Amino acid sequence: MKKKEILIVEDNNDIRELIGFILTEDSYELKMCATAGALNTEMSKNLPNVIVLDIMLPDGNGIDLCRHIKNNPSTSHVPVVLMSAHENEWQKDSGADSFIAKPFNIGDFKTVVESYL
């Protein structure tokens, strides 16, 4: 049986590593990247089961990226969980399925991500 794939898009190395640690113990296949460009590359190779997407990226805005994913018929079904330290940012008609505020509770983070798997 194929493992569920989670694509993590987070430019902060420490947060990306923490998320990887949190989810690795659950034996998901994790793909991690730090930029919008890397997200687009990963999406062109294989569609994940869920995307955890930081709003503030060095080369793009997670809200715009989420809108693009949700407006594209070939990717619109992929759940997107936005992350940000600015909780009201994600409500700008992003199309996101959920939101995780930073800093996050590890248990809550896992519950939200796993709800889409």
Side-chain angles (χ1 to χ4, degrees):
M1 189 167 104
K2 187 177 188 291
K3 289 183 181 180
K4 300 285 186 176
E5 186 176 309
I6 303 169
L7 177 57
I8 309 296
V9 187
E10 167 62 62
D11 62 320
N12 182 299
N13 290 334
D14 293 335
I15 295 173
R16 201 170 53 244
E17 286 180 27
L18 175 63
I19 291 170
F21 179 76
I22 292 168
L23 296 174
T24 301
E25 60 191 65
D26 294 315
S27 68
Y28 301 117
E29 184 175 336
L30 299 178
K31 301 282 184 179
M32 297 202 200
C33 53
T35 65
L39 164 68
N40 292 329
T41 300
E42 286 296 327
M43 293 287 285
S44 68
K45 293 179 196 172
N46 186 35
L47 291 182
N49 296 94
V50 64
I51 300 168
V52 178
L53 177 58
D54 188 23
I55 289 178
M56 304 289 277
L57 296 170
D59 63 340
N61 179 306
I63 292 171
D64 294 336
L65 293 165
C66 183
R67 272 192 211 117
H68 179 74
I69 291 165
K70 291 302 189 175
N71 289 328
N72 181 334
S74 64
T75 59
S76 63
H77 66 283
V78 178
V80 177
V81 178
L82 287 176
M83 286 191 307
S84 178
H86 308 286
E87 192 163 349
N88 58 354
E89 283 292 310
W90 82 286
Q91 298 175 13
K92 295 179 183 171
D93 192 33
S94 65
D97 295 276
S98 194
F99 177 82
I100 297 172
K102 293 184 205 172
F104 51 80
N105 172 287
I106 291 172
D108 293 344
F109 179 88
K110 284 180 71 166
T111 299
V112 169
V113 173
E114 289 174 346
S115 72
Y116 295 105
L117 296 173

